[in-house]
Amino acid sequence: MPTEAIKMRLEPFKVACSNCNLRELCLPVGLTRDNVDKLDTLVANRRNVARGDTLFRAGDAFQALYAVRTGFFKTCVSSEDGRDQVTGFQMAGELLGLDGISNDSHSCDAVALEDSQVCVIPYDQLEELSREFTELQHQFHKIMSREIVRDHGVMLLLGSMRAEERLAAFLLNLTQRLQARGFSASALVLRMTREEIGSYLGLKLETVSRTFSKFQEEGILEVKQRQIRIVSQDKLQSLVNGANC
Amino acid sequence: MPTEAIKMRLEPFKVACSNCNLRELCLPVGLTRDNVDKLDTLVANRRNVARGDTLFRAGDAFQALYAVRTGFFKTCVSSEDGRDQVTGFQMAGELLGLDGISNDSHSCDAVALEDSQVCVIPYDQLEELSREFTELQHQFHKIMSREIVRDHGVMLLLGSMRAEERLAAFLLNLTQRLQARGFSASALVLRMTREEIGSYLGLKLETVSRTFSKFQEEGILEVKQRQIRIVSQDKLQSLVNGANC
DNA sequence: CGCGAGCTTGATGCCGATCAATGCATGTGG
DNA sequence: CCACATGCATTGATCGGCATCAAGCTCGCG
């Protein structure tokens, strides 16, 4: 498309959904090209977050949503008495900050697990734009709803699965999302510690470690610190399905 | 206001948010009177659901959201191998069906725990109307976001609390919501079985029962089957805060 | 009145938590 | 370049909370 080629040459580094390679995974999913162009008016700047830094914290005023462009995040909530719980891990193309809408303030922390970059999506502008065109509105609602469905899945996991099943489900979910981003379905590098995995899965870090070791002994995985290779996807899947019970 | 009085007399039984006593808790929260009138064009019919019946099931096509008008519901998801998990309990003024937006099909079952009535909110009309006026759009987004925040709270509970803390948190949450609806903060009748509570809290029904008994022995509650009286709200609260650890 | 669903209570066992020691990789300063 | 510190992971030993199995109990209802 010549006009686009020209545009690319003239504005080669413009921050824009229309020339982002994540547009098939991110907010613009399902939007027509014209509509993605409209989105560009909204998503005008990015923010870098170094490993270990927070994108936002519980209590911060809510102003924008963030789309992960590169890198990896965790979100965690904490109770008054200091316990905290990882509520999710977010990778490229996933949205952060939806919790903030309810109260005009965030209710969890978002921490970068590696040097990361996010697109800033000012929330009032998103509302405005999604009043103007249906597609965006609908897509946004789907993303929120998907988050609710995901959370219900985690509740099922936390409420009724045993350690092995939890870890298996976790790994399958991770690889599935990585695969959608063009990575291998069978080899991955964990971005989080055993403790963070444990917090997410409602287990202690020792249990996570032991379960990794067990999977290795059983020939399901190869584990070298954070390098994981899935040897038998089938066995992993059958653990989740409870086929062996 | 005379015009309204006339309206009431002419259409005394009209299904309408504007004359619903739940409008301070439900979708119309924060809307001006005029805007509530607009909502009335949308929420035009109700549906009765007998105790034990489902409002919708996982897999059903998604078409509408439902606002509980009277009664009590549970929602539950289930995994392939038959395990199921109660993901929430909904009472008057709360919205059901948000999970359906993500896929155009529901991902959980909604079951009435007593004879209930819901207002049917056709989803496409809700989207349309919320494009027309900001207030409704914003309110709807807040409701979805609130659901996400609630789910994160449940994840914290399931991931890191012990049985007593879970039950205490559950009771406090229930009474708080009942109180907002004008009921006593200290006496309640459970609408669900021990098994359903257990499923929600990630515990077995025996554990729920034992924990109720323990709370009774300790003078925190009076328990007579499903009749609960909270004797010491403070002790209950301190269990959740971990003040006794 | 008797049946059955739901609840309580007891006895036992197991899974995962806890406590503790060691190993391994990375980084830093002498 | 080595010595040492630090953060993370592994592995073992022990313990405890909750699940499980099993037996009665309660209450509403046909």
Side-chain angles (χ1 to χ4, degrees), chain A residues 178-214:
Chain A
L178 286 169
Q179 198 171 13
R181 284 156 184 80
F183 295 98
S184 162
S186 66
L188 66 157
V189 178
L190 299 174
R191 255 64 239 217
M192 68 296 277
T193 66
R194 302 290 191 257
E195 187 169 18
E196 287 160 339
I197 298 173
S199 172
Y200 182 60
L201 298 178
L203 301 169
K204 292 288 143 180
L205 71 95
E206 294 95 327
T207 304
V208 174
S209 180
R210 273 185 246 273
T211 308
F212 270 127
S213 300
K214 183 156 187 243

Side-chain angles (χ1 to χ4, degrees), chain A residues 115-130:
Chain A
D115 292 346
S116 302
Q117 190 179 53
V118 298
C119 299
V120 179
I121 307 171
Y123 179 64
D124 48 3
Q125 290 175 47
L126 177 64
E127 281 202 336
E128 201 179 317
L129 198 59
S130 77

Side-chain angles (χ1 to χ4, degrees), chain A:
Chain A
M1 198 168 273
T3 49
E4 207 194 352
I6 290 166
K7 207 168 155 193
M8 291 291 284
R9 248 176 285 132
L10 292 175
E11 307 163 19
F13 298 109
K14 186 160 182 267
V15 170
C17 294
S18 49
N19 53 32
C20 176
N21 56 8
L22 289 169
R23 63 177 179 277
E24 297 306 325
L25 289 163
C26 193
L27 192 56
V29 167
L31 301 196
T32 61
R33 182 141 265 312
D34 285 356
N35 282 337
V36 176
D37 288 345
K38 288 188 206 159
L39 245 197
D40 288 347
T41 65
L42 190 158
V43 184
N45 64 71
R46 297 197 179 138
R47 186 170 144 194
N48 292 304
V49 188
R51 173 185 169 140
D53 285 357
T54 60
L55 177 58
F56 54 78
R57 283 176 202 275
D60 285 359
F62 168 68
Q63 294 181 330
L65 300 173
Y66 305 93
V68 180
R69 231 185 89 74
T70 62
F72 206 89
F73 285 83
K74 69 170 176 181
T75 48
C76 44
V77 296
S78 42
S79 58
E80 303 87 44
D81 58 320
R83 261 181 302 216
D84 75 326
Q85 168 81 20
V86 173
T87 54
F89 296 106
Q90 293 79 24
M91 55 180 76
E94 297 177 332
L95 237 48
L96 280 160
L98 295 172
D99 59 287
I101 301 170
S102 73
N103 256 353
D104 297 315
S105 86
H106 287 285
S107 63
C108 65
D109 300 345
V111 182
L113 297 183
E114 57 183 18
D115 292 346
S116 302
Q117 190 179 53
V118 298
C119 299
V120 179
I121 307 171
Y123 179 64
D124 48 3
Q125 290 175 47
L126 177 64
E127 281 202 336
E128 201 179 317
L129 198 59
S130 77
R131 257 175 276 131
E132 282 170 35
F133 66 105
T134 316
E135 262 186 329
L136 177 64
Q137 180 196 35
H138 197 64
Q139 178 56 23
F140 178 53
H141 289 170
K142 282 199 172 193
I143 287 173
M144 294 206 91
S145 174
R146 199 172 302 140
E147 175 68 17
I148 291 171
V149 172
R150 187 193 72 85
D151 291 347
H152 288 175
V154 176
M155 288 166 64
L156 176 66
L157 179 147
L158 290 172
S160 69
M161 291 186 172
R162 286 171 319 98
E164 293 177 28
E165 302 173 302
R166 294 184 196 196
L167 190 61
F170 170 71
L171 289 172
L172 286 172
N173 175 277
L174 260 192
T175 51
Q176 192 179 311
R177 285 153 68 199
L178 286 169
Q179 198 171 13
R181 284 156 184 80
F183 295 98
S184 162
S186 66
L188 66 157
V189 178
L190 299 174
R191 255 64 239 217
M192 68 296 277
T193 66
R194 302 290 191 257
E195 187 169 18
E196 287 160 339
I197 298 173
S199 172
Y200 182 60
L201 298 178
L203 301 169
K204 292 288 143 180
L205 71 95
E206 294 95 327
T207 304
V208 174
S209 180
R210 273 185 246 273
T211 308
F212 270 127
S213 300
K214 183 156 187 243
F215 283 174
Q216 185 158 235
E217 282 165 26
E218 290 171 349
I220 300 174
L221 300 179
E222 275 171 25
V223 183
K224 248 189 235 148
Q225 304 284 115
R226 299 196 180 179
Q227 319 264 348
I228 309 287
R229 210 174 65 78
I230 295 177
V231 179
S232 169
Q233 171 122 359
D234 291 353
K235 285 189 194 165
L236 215 50
Q237 189 68 57
S238 72
L239 274 173
V240 176
N241 293 338
N244 66 334
C245 298

Side-chain angles (χ1 to χ4, degrees), chain B:
Chain B
M1 199 167 272
T3 48
E4 206 194 352
I6 290 166
K7 207 168 155 193
M8 291 292 283
R9 248 177 284 134
L10 293 175
E11 307 163 21
F13 298 109
K14 187 163 182 267
V15 170
C17 294
S18 50
N19 52 33
C20 175
N21 56 8
L22 289 170
R23 63 177 179 276
E24 296 306 324
L25 290 164
C26 194
L27 192 56
V29 167
L31 302 196
T32 62
R33 182 140 268 310
D34 285 355
N35 282 338
V36 176
D37 288 345
K38 289 188 207 157
L39 243 197
D40 288 348
T41 65
L42 190 159
V43 183
N45 65 71
R46 296 198 180 138
R47 187 170 142 192
N48 291 305
V49 188
R51 173 187 170 137
D53 284 357
T54 60
L55 176 58
F56 54 78
R57 283 175 202 276
D60 285 359
F62 169 70
Q63 294 181 328
L65 299 173
Y66 305 93
V68 180
R69 229 185 90 73
T70 62
F72 205 89
F73 286 82
K74 69 170 176 181
T75 47
C76 45
V77 295
S78 41
S79 57
E80 302 86 44
D81 57 320
R83 261 182 301 217
D84 74 329
Q85 167 81 22
V86 172
T87 55
F89 296 107
Q90 293 79 21
M91 55 180 76
E94 297 177 331
L95 236 51
L96 281 160
L98 294 172
D99 60 288
I101 301 170
S102 72
N103 256 354
D104 297 314
S105 83
H106 287 285
S107 63
C108 66
D109 301 345
V111 181
L113 297 183
E114 58 182 18
D115 291 346
S116 303
Q117 190 179 53
V118 298
C119 298
V120 179
I121 307 171
Y123 179 65
D124 47 3
Q125 290 176 46
L126 176 65
E127 281 202 336
E128 201 179 317
L129 198 58
S130 76
R131 256 175 276 130
E132 284 171 33
F133 67 104
T134 317
E135 262 185 329
L136 177 64
Q137 180 197 35
H138 196 65
Q139 178 57 22
F140 177 52
H141 290 171
K142 282 198 170 193
I143 288 173
M144 294 205 92
S145 175
R146 199 171 303 141
E147 175 69 16
I148 291 171
V149 172
R150 187 193 72 84
D151 291 347
H152 289 175
V154 176
M155 287 165 66
L156 175 66
L157 180 147
L158 290 172
S160 70
M161 291 186 171
R162 285 168 322 96
E164 293 177 28
E165 303 172 301
R166 294 184 197 196
L167 190 61
F170 171 70
L171 289 172
L172 287 172
N173 175 277
L174 261 192
T175 52
Q176 191 179 311
R177 284 153 69 199
L178 287 168
Q179 198 172 14
R181 283 155 184 79
F183 295 98
S184 163
S186 65
L188 67 157
V189 178
L190 299 174
R191 254 66 236 216
M192 68 296 278
T193 67
R194 303 289 191 258
E195 187 169 18
E196 286 160 338
I197 297 172
S199 172
Y200 182 61
L201 298 179
L203 301 169
K204 292 289 144 181
L205 70 96
E206 294 95 327
T207 304
V208 174
S209 180
R210 274 185 246 272
T211 308
F212 270 127
S213 300
K214 185 158 186 241
F215 284 174
Q216 185 158 235
E217 283 165 25
E218 290 171 350
I220 300 175
L221 299 179
E222 276 172 25
V223 183
K224 249 187 234 148
Q225 303 285 116
R226 299 198 181 178
Q227 318 265 347
I228 309 286
R229 209 173 66 79
I230 296 177
V231 179
S232 170
Q233 171 121 0
D234 292 352
K235 285 188 194 167
L236 216 49
Q237 190 67 58
S238 73
L239 274 173
V240 177
N241 294 338
N244 65 334
C245 298

